[in-house]
Amino acid sequence: VKPTRINIITPFSRQQYLSALITYLETEKIDAWYPVYLEGQLSKTDKDWIHPVFLESIPEHHDICAYKLNYGIEHIDIDDDAYYCFLTDDTLYETGFFDKLRAIDYDVIVCSMKRGHHTPGVSDNGLMHGTSTLLASYENMSPGGIGPEQMIIKGRILRQVRFPNTFAFDGDMGLI
């Protein structure tokens, strides 16, 4: 059994998080990172596991995050057997999450998510969504019921889906 590769697609916008993201992803032994960015949003890197996806512009009336994710999906070589995670540039998974992911084999995984739980120096009032927990439960499996960071899918499924280009409900988007 070959080990499961873990690839991450990020709608990248905030240069100030680049160094922390690279350090985190390297520590977690991510196989490939695909930051999707506009000109001026990403500085050069010499890491061979980082595969930047340059996007010239985002059409009017499109959700920036969804458009970048979809553009990334359409412009990378997808490995059918790899896991794909959708990590926004200000979000991290807990330490050891990817080791747990490598130990299982499912086509679709939905995990719970704690918002803003470890954000240094930011109160609940300073966050867009507060620090609620988004539970991975059957009841939440509806359009807009989960965030993109909660979804982990194999490449063979990724080939078939795209994010909606509009916000749903409270600003969360989902593949379902």
Side-chain angles (χ1 to χ4, degrees):
V1 177
K2 77 177 188 182
T4 302
R5 292 177 46 84
I6 297 177
N7 301 326
I8 294 183
I9 301 172
T10 298
F12 191 83
S13 298
R14 293 171 271 208
Q15 179 68 33
Q16 68 268 29
Y17 298 140
L18 181 62
S19 178
L21 268 171
I22 289 173
T23 299
Y24 166 74
L25 296 172
E26 209 161 33
T27 301
E28 293 295 322
K29 300 177 185 90
I30 296 306
D31 294 289
W33 181 40
Y34 301 94
V36 183
Y37 69 101
L38 293 166
E39 187 170 346
Q41 292 181 331
L42 186 70
S43 57
K44 294 201 183 284
T45 176
D46 61 354
K47 310 282 185 187
D48 63 356
W49 55 273
I50 300 176
H51 309 282
V53 179
F54 176 70
L55 171 64
E56 286 195 25
S57 65
I58 296 173
E60 255 188 273
H61 309 296
H62 282 77
D63 173 67
I64 294 168
C65 184
Y67 192 86
K68 283 183 174 182
L69 287 171
N70 290 336
Y71 189 88
I73 292 167
E74 293 163 6
H75 289 87
I76 65 173
D77 290 326
I78 296 174
D79 176 347
D80 284 349
D81 296 318
Y83 280 127
Y84 287 84
C85 304
F86 310 100
L87 184 68
T88 55
D89 59 13
D90 64 348
T91 305
L92 303 176
Y93 294 97
E94 70 182 351
T95 302
F97 177 81
F98 297 107
D99 290 335
K100 294 174 186 172
L101 191 57
R102 286 181 183 95
I104 58 178
D105 185 25
Y106 297 99
D107 284 348
V108 177
I109 298 168
V110 179
C111 63
S112 296
M113 178 173 125
K114 180 76 172 175
R115 285 191 157 141
H117 182 60
H118 295 291
T119 307
V122 178
S123 69
D124 283 359
N125 296 337
L127 300 173
M128 182 176 175
H129 295 291
T131 58
S132 60
T133 299
L134 301 176
L135 297 176
S137 66
Y138 178 77
E139 294 79 25
N140 291 338
M141 296 300 109
S142 62
I146 57 175
E149 302 90 347
Q150 291 180 263
M151 296 176 282
I152 297 102
I153 60 177
K154 289 281 182 97
R156 65 179 144 273
I157 304 298
L158 181 62
R159 290 180 187 283
Q160 304 170 39
V161 296
R162 295 297 179 267
F163 288 92
N165 252 327
T166 58
F167 283 121
F169 301 105
D170 72 344
D172 282 333
M173 41 184 189
L175 288 171
I176 56 174

